[in-house]
Amino acid sequence: MLWTPFKKVPKECLGIDIGTSYIKMVEIRKRGKDKELSNYGEIKVSDIYPDFKASIITAEIEEVANVIGAIIAEAKIKTRTAVFSLPDYSSFFTTFTLPAMTKEEIPEAVKYEAPLHIPLPLTKVTLDWQVVEGFEKQGVPLEILLVAVPNEIVNRYREIASLAKLNLEALEAEVFGLIRSLIKSDLTTALVDIGAESTTCSIVDKKILKSSHSFDTGGKRLTEALAGLLNVEWERAEKLKIENGILGVKSVREGLLPTLNLILKETEQICSEFSETERKEVENLILAGGSALLPGLKEYFAENINLPKFPKEKFGQVNKKVEIADPFSGLISPPVLSKNLGEMGPLYAVSVGIALRGIQ
C-alpha cells in the first residue's frame, strides 16, 4: 500500500524492515502457487557502528544504505527488488465516511475530504486510501481508510533504496505488512506489535484495518525499568529480561510487570474503544515484535486482559485466544532455515508481510 512505481509483479522480492536499532530483511520467491522463504538476514546497527547512539530512523541515509548492503552481502542475497516498511508512527491513519457513489467518483471525493482529516497540507504528504465498508452495496455510505505519510519520509526511503542499489517496488506502512503475514481468518483481531521504542495496537476485522494506535512503551523501556530496579548495567538487564521474562527470577518479574501492565492496559483501552464503537468483540490477540517472545508474556496476556463482551451486561474478563506471531506459516522453506523460524516469527512479521506484497 501507499507507493508503487512498477506494475509488473516480480517473482521474488525483499521485504526490508528498518526498525529503530535493527534492520531485518527476508527474501521470498514465488514458485507457481507456492511462496518460498529463500533467505533472511538482520543486523544490529551498533554492531557495525559501535558509537551509533541514535535511532536508525534519524541516521544518515548513507549509513542506512551501507547497513542494508552489509546484510545483503553477508546473507548472499541475490534479489534486488525490494519493498520497504514505513514505521507506523510516521504514518497518519484516519477513517471517514462518504455518501454512496460510483467507483469512478471516489478518488476526487477522497481528495476533497482529505484536508479535513490530515493535519498537514496535502502538498507535503503522500496519500493512499482504500474502501473498507460499503463498496459492494449500492446506495450504502462508504467508509474510507486514509493513510498519509510526509513526503520527506517517502523521499528518504527512495534515496536509501537508490544508494543500496535496490529496485524499490513499493513502500508500505508496517501494519499492512503485519496484516498480510499474520491474519489468516475473518476473526476480529488485535495485533499488538511491541517494538523497541513503542507499541502499536491495531484492530483488524475481516482482514481489514479498522484502527491503529501507537504509544511510547516498548522493549527498551522494559529493560530500563529492570536496570533501574536491580541497579545493573543496561546490557545485563537486557540479558536477564530475555532469559527470564516473567517466569523466572522473582526480582526480574517484579521489574518487568509495571511496564508490561502499561502495555496491557493500553491494549485494553484501544480494544474497548473499538468494541464500543463497532459493537463487536475482539476475538483474538496476536503478539508481535521482539518482546513477544518474553517467557510467560503470552500466558500473562491471556489470563489478565479484560475486554468488553456483547451483550454489554457480559462485560468482564474473557478468555481470549492469544497467539505469538507466526508469519512463516504457509511458506515453504529449505530445511537449513526451518529450524530457527519458530523463534524468529515475531521479529520478522513485518518483513515477511511486505515481501509478500512485492510478489502479489
Side-chain angles (χ1 to χ4, degrees):
M1 192 177 185
L2 190 66
W3 183 72
T4 309
F6 304 127
K7 292 184 179 180
K8 185 178 178 181
V9 178
K11 292 183 178 180
E12 55 190 10
C13 188
L14 289 175
I16 301 179
D17 177 20
I18 301 177
T20 54
S21 56
Y22 281 84
I23 295 178
K24 298 179 284 290
M25 67 176 69
V26 298
E27 181 183 34
I28 295 180
R29 178 175 291 115
K30 196 171 186 178
R31 292 188 178 277
K33 294 182 178 180
D34 293 324
K35 299 177 181 68
E36 177 186 50
L37 174 67
S38 303
N39 213 333
Y40 67 89
E42 70 174 52
I43 282 182
K44 188 176 183 179
V45 176
S46 60
D47 290 343
I48 294 183
Y49 301 106
D51 297 328
F52 185 82
K53 301 297 182 183
S55 164
I56 299 173
I57 306 302
T58 58
E60 293 294 328
I61 289 173
E62 293 78 6
E63 289 179 324
V64 179
N66 288 340
V67 173
I68 290 172
I71 300 173
I72 290 172
E74 177 69 22
K76 297 180 173 60
I77 291 172
K78 297 180 180 179
T79 304
R80 290 297 180 268
T81 299
V83 177
F84 280 49
S85 68
L86 293 166
D88 288 332
Y89 56 78
S90 72
S91 308
F92 180 84
F93 301 90
T94 189
T95 57
F96 57 84
T97 302
L98 292 176
M101 62 183 67
T102 66
K103 182 178 180 180
E104 292 73 22
E105 293 172 319
I106 297 175
E108 279 301 314
V110 169
K111 187 176 179 180
Y112 177 81
E113 185 76 13
L116 303 177
H117 303 273
I118 302 297
L120 292 172
L122 292 191
T123 55
K124 294 186 177 182
V125 296
T126 298
L127 295 179
D128 198 5
W129 55 271
Q130 60 181 235
V131 179
V132 297
E133 197 76 43
F135 187 70
E136 296 179 355
K137 301 175 183 178
Q138 292 186 349
V140 176
L142 309 177
E143 184 179 354
I144 305 294
L145 171 65
L146 182 69
V147 184
V149 179
N151 289 334
E152 62 181 314
I153 301 293
V154 173
N155 293 335
R156 174 181 169 83
Y157 279 74
R158 289 177 180 174
E159 289 186 50
I160 291 171
S162 177
L163 288 173
K165 296 180 171 58
L166 295 172
N167 300 317
L168 186 58
E169 172 72 12
L171 298 171
E172 182 169 71
E174 290 172 343
V175 64
F176 296 110
L178 288 173
I179 292 170
R180 190 177 296 105
S181 68
L182 299 179
I183 302 297
K184 314 295 184 184
S185 73
D186 286 341
L187 290 177
T188 304
T189 300
L191 293 175
V192 184
D193 184 18
I194 309 173
E197 300 283 356
S198 63
T199 296
T200 300
C201 180
S202 304
I203 309 299
V204 182
D205 186 34
K206 295 183 174 64
K207 300 181 181 177
I208 294 172
L209 178 66
K210 303 297 288 188
S211 67
S212 185
H213 301 277
S214 298
F215 47 95
D216 294 331
T217 307
K220 284 187 177 180
R221 187 165 172 181
L222 285 165
T223 304
E224 289 166 358
L226 188 58
L229 178 69
L230 301 182
N231 194 27
V232 297
E233 295 293 328
W234 198 93
E235 291 76 11
R236 174 62 177 162
E238 179 74 3
K239 184 177 180 181
L240 288 170
K241 178 185 77 172
I242 293 171
E243 290 178 349
N244 292 274
I246 52 177
L247 290 181
V249 179
K250 182 180 178 182
S251 59
V252 175
R253 174 184 170 89
E254 290 175 348
L256 295 177
L257 278 182
T259 305
L260 287 176
N261 283 332
L262 287 176
I263 296 173
L264 188 144
K265 293 302 179 185
E266 287 282 358
T267 300
E268 284 181 348
Q269 180 65 28
I270 292 165
C271 292
S272 295
E273 288 175 359
F274 165 81
S275 294
E276 289 296 322
T277 301
E278 300 290 334
R279 311 301 294 173
K280 279 187 174 182
E281 295 179 37
V282 174
E283 304 166 272
N284 192 30
L285 284 89
I286 299 178
L287 302 176
S291 294
L293 291 171
L294 288 181
L297 182 65
K298 171 185 169 182
E299 293 77 12
Y300 187 77
F301 257 74
E303 292 171 4
N304 291 280
I305 196 160
N306 285 278
L307 298 175
K309 186 173 183 179
F310 289 93
K312 193 172 181 179
E313 59 266 19
K314 295 184 179 180
F315 184 97
Q317 185 164 318
V318 181
N319 291 325
K320 296 294 180 185
K321 182 180 180 182
V322 179
E323 306 172 36
I324 301 296
D326 180 16
F328 298 110
S329 64
L331 299 179
I332 59 175
S333 59
V336 68
L337 300 182
S338 300
K339 60 181 181 180
N340 297 321
L341 297 187
E343 296 180 356
M344 291 167 44
L347 298 165
Y348 280 81
V350 172
S351 300
V352 170
I354 59 177
L356 290 172
R357 154 70 188 270
I359 60 173
Q360 288 180 349

